[in-house]
Short mmCIF file of all heavy atoms in Angstrom, two decimals:
data_model
loop_
_atom_site.label_atom_id
_atom_site.label_comp_id
_atom_site.label_asym_id
_atom_site.label_seq_id
_atom_site.Cartn_x
_atom_site.Cartn_y
_atom_site.Cartn_z
N LEU T 317 -61.55 20.35 135.21
CA LEU T 317 -61.88 21.35 136.19
C LEU T 317 -61.46 22.76 135.77
O LEU T 317 -62.35 23.80 135.84
CB LEU T 317 -61.25 20.96 137.56
CG LEU T 317 -61.57 21.92 138.69
CD1 LEU T 317 -63.02 21.93 139.01
CD2 LEU T 317 -60.68 21.53 139.92
N ILE T 318 -60.35 22.81 135.25
CA ILE T 318 -59.84 24.29 134.91
C ILE T 318 -60.68 24.77 133.70
O ILE T 318 -61.02 25.88 133.59
CB ILE T 318 -58.34 24.16 134.54
CG1 ILE T 318 -57.52 23.86 135.80
CG2 ILE T 318 -57.89 25.52 133.95
CD1 ILE T 318 -56.00 23.64 135.51
N CYS T 319 -61.01 23.82 132.69
CA CYS T 319 -61.83 24.25 131.64
C CYS T 319 -63.23 24.72 132.05
O CYS T 319 -63.77 25.72 131.59
CB CYS T 319 -61.94 22.98 130.67
SG CYS T 319 -62.86 23.38 129.14
N GLY T 320 -63.72 23.99 133.03
CA GLY T 320 -65.10 24.45 133.46
C GLY T 320 -65.10 25.80 134.19
O GLY T 320 -65.97 26.62 133.91
N MET T 321 -64.06 25.94 135.03
CA MET T 321 -63.93 27.12 135.76
C MET T 321 -63.74 28.37 134.84
O MET T 321 -64.36 29.43 134.92
CB MET T 321 -62.87 27.18 136.80
CG MET T 321 -63.12 26.13 137.96
SD MET T 321 -61.65 25.97 139.06
CE MET T 321 -61.55 27.58 139.69
N ALA T 322 -62.78 28.25 133.87
CA ALA T 322 -62.40 29.28 132.99
C ALA T 322 -63.62 29.61 132.11
O ALA T 322 -63.87 30.81 131.83
CB ALA T 322 -61.21 28.96 132.12
N GLY T 323 -64.30 28.62 131.62
CA GLY T 323 -65.48 28.90 130.82
C GLY T 323 -66.58 29.55 131.61
O GLY T 323 -67.17 30.53 131.06
N SER T 324 -66.71 29.32 132.86
CA SER T 324 -67.81 29.95 133.59
C SER T 324 -67.43 31.32 133.77
O SER T 324 -68.26 32.23 133.78
CB SER T 324 -67.94 29.16 134.99
OG SER T 324 -68.26 27.82 134.81
N LEU T 325 -66.08 31.60 134.15
CA LEU T 325 -65.74 32.97 134.35
C LEU T 325 -65.82 33.75 133.05
O LEU T 325 -66.24 34.94 133.10
CB LEU T 325 -64.12 33.05 134.81
CG LEU T 325 -64.04 32.54 136.33
CD1 LEU T 325 -62.60 32.56 136.62
CD2 LEU T 325 -64.84 33.38 137.27
N LEU T 326 -65.52 33.21 131.91
CA LEU T 326 -65.67 33.97 130.61
C LEU T 326 -67.09 34.22 130.29
O LEU T 326 -67.40 35.31 129.82
CB LEU T 326 -65.05 33.06 129.44
CG LEU T 326 -63.53 33.04 129.45
CD1 LEU T 326 -63.20 32.08 128.33
CD2 LEU T 326 -63.00 34.38 129.09
N LEU T 327 -68.01 33.22 130.66
CA LEU T 327 -69.37 33.48 130.49
C LEU T 327 -69.88 34.66 131.45
O LEU T 327 -70.83 35.39 131.09
CB LEU T 327 -70.15 32.27 130.76
CG LEU T 327 -71.70 32.29 130.59
CD1 LEU T 327 -72.06 32.64 129.17
CD2 LEU T 327 -72.32 30.89 130.90
N PHE T 328 -69.35 34.64 132.63
CA PHE T 328 -69.78 35.64 133.61
C PHE T 328 -69.28 37.05 133.20
O PHE T 328 -70.11 37.92 133.35
CB PHE T 328 -69.12 35.36 134.99
CG PHE T 328 -69.36 36.26 136.04
CD1 PHE T 328 -70.55 36.43 136.65
CD2 PHE T 328 -68.37 37.33 136.42
CE1 PHE T 328 -70.87 37.30 137.61
CE2 PHE T 328 -68.60 38.19 137.37
CZ PHE T 328 -69.89 38.17 138.08
N LEU T 329 -68.06 37.11 132.53
CA LEU T 329 -67.62 38.43 132.00
C LEU T 329 -68.51 38.92 130.82
O LEU T 329 -68.76 40.05 130.65
CB LEU T 329 -66.19 38.21 131.53
CG LEU T 329 -65.06 38.09 132.71
CD1 LEU T 329 -63.71 37.91 131.97
CD2 LEU T 329 -65.16 39.13 133.65
N ALA T 330 -68.90 38.00 129.98
CA ALA T 330 -69.61 38.48 128.71
C ALA T 330 -71.14 38.59 128.89
O ALA T 330 -71.71 39.26 128.12
CB ALA T 330 -69.31 37.51 127.63
N ALA T 331 -71.76 37.86 129.81
CA ALA T 331 -73.14 37.84 130.05
C ALA T 331 -73.61 39.19 130.70
O ALA T 331 -73.10 39.67 131.70
CB ALA T 331 -73.66 36.67 130.95
N PRO T 332 -74.69 39.78 130.12
CA PRO T 332 -75.35 40.93 130.67
C PRO T 332 -76.16 40.73 131.93
O PRO T 332 -77.36 40.74 131.94
CB PRO T 332 -76.20 41.56 129.55
CG PRO T 332 -76.54 40.41 128.89
CD PRO T 332 -75.41 39.32 128.88
N VAL T 333 -75.52 40.60 133.01
CA VAL T 333 -76.16 40.18 134.29
C VAL T 333 -76.16 41.47 135.39
O VAL T 333 -76.81 41.20 136.37
CB VAL T 333 -75.57 39.07 134.96
CG1 VAL T 333 -75.67 37.80 134.02
CG2 VAL T 333 -73.99 39.28 135.24
N PHE T 334 -75.65 42.52 134.96
CA PHE T 334 -75.59 43.64 135.83
C PHE T 334 -76.62 44.76 135.42
O PHE T 334 -76.82 44.98 134.30
CB PHE T 334 -74.17 44.38 136.04
CG PHE T 334 -73.09 43.42 136.42
CD1 PHE T 334 -72.39 42.76 135.63
CD2 PHE T 334 -72.95 43.37 137.81
CE1 PHE T 334 -71.33 41.89 136.15
CE2 PHE T 334 -71.97 42.57 138.36
CZ PHE T 334 -71.16 41.77 137.52
N LEU T 335 -77.28 45.33 136.40
CA LEU T 335 -78.35 46.43 136.14
C LEU T 335 -77.67 47.72 136.37
O LEU T 335 -77.22 48.04 137.53
CB LEU T 335 -79.56 46.16 137.10
CG LEU T 335 -80.43 45.06 136.69
CD1 LEU T 335 -81.50 44.95 137.78
CD2 LEU T 335 -81.02 45.08 135.45
#
Side-chain angles (χ1 to χ4, degrees):
L317 177 63
I318 295 175
C319 180
M321 292 176 60
S324 299
L325 290 175
L326 287 174
L327 180 62
F328 177 75
L329 290 176
V333 295
F334 296 95
L335 289 177

